[in-house]
Amino acid sequence: MTERTATLILHPYEAECGNCGQNADPADTHHTQVPEGRTTRTDHRSGCGALFAEITYQRIGYRDELEAVCRRVRPDLPIGKLAGVMPGVRPPQ
């Protein structure tokens, strides 16, 4: 039996499970609970149980910025496809 896996999807103010689309705690290795926020489950507490196998960030930004956030939140997970990547690199500040 193969364990179900999912992408941990970060948003600016929350995270979600790529398997079931419900809120997730970024610190969890598996989607075992649904923190406060949007949920479609009737018990409002249990997640789908999927193992977070990669992480991504759904936000517009430069690749280095998005990857840095992913590494800071979950350095143990590989970074998946990043949506909203702007071309080029961040201008010097």
Side-chain angles (χ1 to χ4, degrees):
M1 184 171 160
T2 305
E3 184 170 30
R4 181 179 26 194
T5 60
T7 300
L8 177 61
I9 304 168
L10 300 178
H11 298 282
Y13 300 104
E14 63 185 12
E16 76 177 77
C17 173
N19 182 57
C20 68
Q22 298 196 82
N23 281 10
D25 184 340
D28 289 346
T29 59
H30 291 72
H31 189 218
T32 56
Q33 60 182 336
V34 177
E36 293 293 323
R38 69 182 192 279
T39 180
T40 57
R41 294 193 180 273
T42 56
D43 60 10
H44 299 280
R45 293 232 183 253
S46 63
C48 68
L51 168 70
F52 293 125
E54 67 178 6
I55 188 168
T56 188
Y57 194 15
Q58 298 289 333
R59 179 176 176 254
I60 295 174
Y62 295 104
R63 179 173 301 281
D64 60 337
E65 293 175 319
L66 301 178
E67 288 177 349
V69 170
C70 290
R71 281 192 207 98
R72 187 171 56 249
V73 172
R74 286 295 299 274
D76 59 316
L77 293 178
I79 299 172
K81 182 178 180 186
L82 294 167
V85 173
M86 295 172 28
V89 295
R90 179 175 23 125
Q93 305 264 336

